[in-house]
Amino acid sequence: MRIPPGVKIVAIVLGTTAFYTYVAQLVPQKELQPPAKIEISTDMTPQQLAKIGDEIAHGKGLCTTCHTIGSKEAGRFPDLAGVAERAKTRVPGLNQVQYFSQTLCEPNAFIVPGFNPGMPTINKPPVGLSDEELHAVIAWLQSQGGESTITLKDKLEYCGGAS
């Protein structure tokens, strides 16, 4: 007896689908939760902001996806160890806070020599940090080889009216 070609095709498709379904179930699954809400208040010290900024940089901000901290090997983007000192002189006419603000909110305004553009604007989706979170990340960046001085009262002029 001869099996029609259409039945053979259906059998192959069903067998292949069943096989890959089985294999997919063997792959460990990881459930991702949205980042925890971080409370930032106006009376926080720069050091408290820097601590929260560290959590944001390693979590919601996704900074360490591309940046390293203290690595000797060149990564996709500049290493952040000692960035506080470099930021003071990186762009003529910009102080440290202005440079960090511009870098985070207008990342293509200045590209560090030797690196390609590609950093996302972090106050817009997909990262979407709030004004308070931007202040915290800047405080954390200041603490990388320097002292945090920013507070929530400081204006971030490159971040679309953040204050």
Side-chain angles (χ1 to χ4, degrees):
M1 179 173 164
R2 194 162 186 247
I3 300 174
V7 173
K8 288 181 181 178
I9 291 172
V10 168
I12 290 172
V13 168
L14 288 174
T16 304
T17 301
F19 173 75
Y20 283 108
T21 300
Y22 172 74
V23 170
Q25 296 303 315
L26 297 176
V27 176
Q29 303 297 313
K30 181 177 181 182
E31 183 178 348
L32 294 176
Q33 298 294 325
K37 177 77 172 140
I38 297 173
E39 295 296 325
I40 302 174
S41 64
T42 56
D43 62 342
M44 289 185 147
T45 66
Q47 291 70 31
Q48 290 170 321
L49 276 176
K51 186 174 185 224
I52 291 172
D54 182 61
E55 292 175 30
I56 294 169
H58 288 86
K60 179 181 178 183
L62 304 172
C63 303
T64 55
T65 302
C66 301
H67 290 280
T68 57
I69 303 167
S71 175
K72 301 293 182 208
E73 297 178 23
R76 183 171 172 203
F77 291 109
D79 184 76
L80 297 179
V83 72
E85 283 303 311
R86 293 191 305 272
K88 293 176 183 177
T89 59
R90 186 72 85 182
V91 177
L94 296 184
N95 66 32
Q96 185 190 58
V97 172
Q98 291 169 329
Y99 172 74
F100 286 142
S101 172
Q102 183 186 61
T103 298
L104 297 173
C105 299
E106 298 176 8
N108 291 323
F110 174 79
I111 306 298
V112 174
F115 292 92
N116 294 319
M119 183 170 149
T121 303
I122 70 165
N123 62 332
K124 295 185 174 141
V127 180
L129 296 185
S130 69
D131 294 345
E132 294 81 12
E133 291 169 330
L134 285 169
H135 280 81
V137 169
I138 290 174
W140 174 72
L141 288 168
Q142 287 181 314
S143 74
Q144 301 304 303
E147 183 180 336
S148 300
T149 60
I150 192 169
T151 67
L152 290 178
K153 295 173 185 159
D154 293 313
K155 182 173 173 36
L156 302 179
E157 56 190 271
Y158 294 95
C159 294
S163 56

